[in-house]
Amino acid sequence: MSTVLPYRGYVALSLKARATPIVSTMIASLIPSLVPVIAQAPILPPLGLMTLLAWRLLRPGYWAVWAPLPLGFFDDLVSGQPIGSAMLCWTVAFLAIEASERSALWRDYWQDWLYAAIAIAGCLAAGYLFALFAGARMPILGLVPQLLASILFFPAVARLCARLDVWRLR
Protein backbone atom coordinates (compact mmCIF):
# COMPACT_ATOMS: atom_id res chain seq x y z
CA MET A 1 0.00 0.00 0.00
CA SER A 2 1.35 3.41 -0.92
CA THR A 3 1.77 6.08 1.74
CA VAL A 4 0.76 8.84 -0.66
CA LEU A 5 -2.97 8.88 -1.29
CA PRO A 6 -4.69 11.29 -3.71
CA TYR A 7 -7.38 13.38 -2.07
CA ARG A 8 -9.41 15.95 -4.02
CA GLY A 9 -6.51 17.07 -6.16
CA TYR A 10 -4.08 17.31 -3.22
CA VAL A 11 -1.66 14.77 -1.86
CA ALA A 12 -2.59 13.42 1.56
CA LEU A 13 0.05 11.56 3.53
CA SER A 14 -0.69 8.61 5.76
CA LEU A 15 -0.86 9.04 9.51
CA LYS A 16 2.58 7.48 9.89
CA ALA A 17 4.07 9.91 7.39
CA ARG A 18 2.47 12.93 9.07
CA ALA A 19 3.06 11.92 12.69
CA THR A 20 6.65 10.62 12.58
CA PRO A 21 8.41 14.03 12.61
CA ILE A 22 6.12 15.36 15.34
CA VAL A 23 6.31 12.28 17.55
CA SER A 24 10.07 11.92 17.11
CA THR A 25 10.56 15.57 18.14
CA MET A 26 8.39 15.06 21.22
CA ILE A 27 10.22 11.87 22.19
CA ALA A 28 13.54 13.65 21.72
CA SER A 29 12.32 16.40 24.06
CA LEU A 30 11.51 13.75 26.68
CA ILE A 31 14.86 11.94 26.57
CA PRO A 32 16.97 14.50 28.52
CA SER A 33 14.29 14.57 31.24
CA LEU A 34 14.22 10.77 31.52
CA VAL A 35 17.98 10.17 31.62
CA PRO A 36 19.04 9.87 35.28
CA VAL A 37 21.94 12.35 35.27
CA ILE A 38 22.60 14.62 38.22
CA ALA A 39 24.77 17.59 37.30
CA GLN A 40 25.20 21.15 38.49
CA ALA A 41 25.33 22.45 34.94
CA PRO A 42 23.46 21.25 31.85
CA ILE A 43 25.41 18.68 29.89
CA LEU A 44 22.79 16.85 27.83
CA PRO A 45 22.07 18.37 24.42
CA PRO A 46 18.62 19.83 23.72
CA LEU A 47 17.53 16.82 21.69
CA GLY A 48 14.05 18.18 20.95
CA LEU A 49 15.48 21.30 19.35
CA MET A 50 18.10 19.30 17.49
CA THR A 51 15.48 16.89 16.14
CA LEU A 52 13.22 19.74 15.08
CA LEU A 53 16.12 21.45 13.28
CA ALA A 54 17.18 18.19 11.64
CA TRP A 55 13.64 17.62 10.30
CA ARG A 56 13.40 21.25 9.19
CA LEU A 57 16.69 21.10 7.30
CA LEU A 58 15.88 17.65 5.86
CA ARG A 59 12.35 18.53 4.69
CA PRO A 60 12.14 22.32 4.25
CA GLY A 61 8.54 22.42 3.04
CA TYR A 62 7.12 19.97 5.59
CA TRP A 63 6.81 22.22 8.65
CA ALA A 64 4.55 25.23 8.90
CA VAL A 65 6.13 28.35 10.38
CA TRP A 66 3.97 28.01 13.51
CA ALA A 67 5.00 24.37 14.13
CA PRO A 68 7.70 25.22 16.72
CA LEU A 69 5.10 26.84 18.99
CA PRO A 70 3.29 23.69 20.23
CA LEU A 71 6.46 21.60 20.11
CA GLY A 72 8.34 24.28 22.07
CA PHE A 73 5.49 24.41 24.57
CA PHE A 74 5.78 20.65 25.06
CA ASP A 75 9.55 20.99 25.51
CA ASP A 76 9.06 23.76 28.07
CA LEU A 77 6.68 21.55 30.02
CA VAL A 78 9.01 18.55 30.17
CA SER A 79 12.33 20.37 30.50
CA GLY A 80 11.47 22.74 33.31
CA GLN A 81 12.44 25.85 31.39
CA PRO A 82 10.19 28.90 31.84
CA ILE A 83 7.04 28.49 29.73
CA GLY A 84 7.45 30.26 26.42
CA SER A 85 11.25 30.14 26.23
CA ALA A 86 11.49 27.20 23.81
CA MET A 87 8.39 28.43 21.99
CA LEU A 88 10.08 31.75 21.26
CA CYS A 89 13.59 30.41 20.64
CA TRP A 90 12.50 27.60 18.32
CA THR A 91 10.24 29.91 16.32
CA VAL A 92 13.00 32.50 15.92
CA ALA A 93 15.40 29.73 14.82
CA PHE A 94 12.84 28.56 12.24
CA LEU A 95 12.34 32.07 10.91
CA ALA A 96 16.09 32.66 10.71
CA ILE A 97 16.58 29.44 8.75
CA GLU A 98 13.69 30.40 6.44
CA ALA A 99 15.25 33.81 5.79
CA SER A 100 18.71 32.40 5.17
CA GLU A 101 17.40 29.73 2.81
CA ARG A 102 15.53 32.24 0.71
CA SER A 103 18.72 34.16 0.02
CA ALA A 104 20.93 31.10 -0.55
CA LEU A 105 21.41 29.76 -4.05
CA TRP A 106 22.46 26.32 -2.86
CA ARG A 107 22.67 24.32 0.34
CA ASP A 108 24.84 21.42 1.40
CA TYR A 109 25.62 19.30 4.44
CA TRP A 110 28.15 21.73 5.94
CA GLN A 111 25.82 24.67 5.55
CA ASP A 112 23.03 22.74 7.30
CA TRP A 113 25.41 21.93 10.14
CA LEU A 114 26.38 25.60 10.39
CA TYR A 115 22.71 26.69 10.45
CA ALA A 116 21.99 24.15 13.16
CA ALA A 117 25.05 25.16 15.20
CA ILE A 118 24.06 28.83 15.10
CA ALA A 119 20.44 28.01 15.97
CA ILE A 120 21.47 25.72 18.84
CA ALA A 121 23.91 28.30 20.21
CA GLY A 122 21.30 31.04 19.99
CA CYS A 123 18.61 28.93 21.63
CA LEU A 124 20.92 27.83 24.44
CA ALA A 125 22.01 31.43 25.07
CA ALA A 126 18.42 32.66 25.05
CA GLY A 127 17.37 29.79 27.33
CA TYR A 128 20.18 30.79 29.69
CA LEU A 129 18.86 34.36 29.77
CA PHE A 130 15.30 33.15 30.37
CA ALA A 131 16.54 31.01 33.25
CA LEU A 132 18.46 33.96 34.72
CA PHE A 133 15.33 36.10 34.66
CA ALA A 134 13.45 33.25 36.37
CA GLY A 135 15.99 33.22 39.21
CA ALA A 136 18.55 30.58 38.24
CA ARG A 137 22.19 31.27 38.95
CA MET A 138 24.89 29.71 36.80
CA PRO A 139 27.96 31.09 35.04
CA ILE A 140 27.64 31.38 31.27
CA LEU A 141 30.70 29.15 30.82
CA GLY A 142 28.61 26.30 32.21
CA LEU A 143 26.85 26.15 28.83
CA VAL A 144 30.04 25.43 26.88
CA PRO A 145 30.06 21.61 27.38
CA GLN A 146 26.38 21.38 26.44
CA LEU A 147 26.93 23.61 23.40
CA LEU A 148 29.91 21.59 22.17
CA ALA A 149 28.11 18.29 22.74
CA SER A 150 25.07 19.60 20.89
CA ILE A 151 26.99 20.84 17.87
CA LEU A 152 29.10 17.69 17.60
CA PHE A 153 26.09 15.39 18.10
CA PHE A 154 23.85 17.15 15.56
CA PRO A 155 25.01 15.08 12.54
CA ALA A 156 23.98 11.89 14.37
CA VAL A 157 20.53 13.36 15.05
CA ALA A 158 20.24 14.45 11.42
CA ARG A 159 21.22 10.97 10.30
CA LEU A 160 18.60 9.42 12.58
CA CYS A 161 15.95 11.76 11.17
CA ALA A 162 16.98 10.82 7.64
CA ARG A 163 16.55 7.14 8.53
CA LEU A 164 13.15 7.88 10.08
CA ASP A 165 12.22 9.79 6.93
CA VAL A 166 12.93 6.76 4.76
CA TRP A 167 10.88 4.58 7.13
CA ARG A 168 7.95 6.98 7.31
CA LEU A 169 7.62 7.25 3.51
CA ARG A 170 7.60 3.48 2.90
Side-chain angles (χ1 to χ4, degrees):
M1 184 172 135
S2 175
T3 58
V4 179
L5 305 170
Y7 179 72
R8 296 189 189 181
Y10 297 102
V11 174
L13 296 174
S14 70
L15 179 63
K16 178 177 88 168
R18 283 181 286 162
T20 300
I22 297 165
V23 171
S24 65
T25 302
M26 293 174 79
I27 290 172
S29 289
L30 283 172
I31 290 173
S33 301
L34 297 176
V35 174
V37 173
I38 299 172
Q40 291 189 357
I43 56 172
L44 294 176
L47 292 175
L49 170 66
M50 294 167 59
T51 304
L52 182 76
L53 290 173
W55 278 111
R56 168 60 187 83
L57 292 168
L58 180 67
R59 293 285 181 192
Y62 178 79
W63 296 99
V65 178
W66 55 266
L69 290 172
L71 293 170
F73 179 69
F74 179 79
D75 188 76
D76 285 337
L77 289 176
V78 298
S79 71
Q81 279 285 88
I83 300 295
S85 62
M87 293 168 65
L88 176 67
C89 294
W90 292 15
T91 304
V92 169
F94 250 50
L95 293 174
I97 289 173
E98 283 285 331
S100 63
E101 281 186 345
R102 290 180 191 251
S103 63
L105 297 175
W106 55 273
R107 209 178 85 205
D108 66 350
Y109 172 77
W110 298 104
Q111 193 173 6
D112 284 351
W113 198 0
L114 177 65
Y115 286 162
I118 292 169
I120 291 167
C123 288
L124 286 177
Y128 173 78
L129 291 176
F130 277 113
L132 281 182
F133 289 133
R137 297 289 170 238
M138 185 184 82
I140 188 74
L141 291 178
L143 287 180
V144 173
Q146 184 184 28
L147 178 64
L148 290 175
S150 301
I151 291 171
L152 294 176
F153 191 61
F154 179 77
V157 173
R159 180 80 171 205
L160 177 66
C161 288
R163 294 278 172 121
L164 281 173
D165 191 42
V166 169
W167 173 79
R168 82 180 180 99
L169 294 176
R170 275 193 200 160

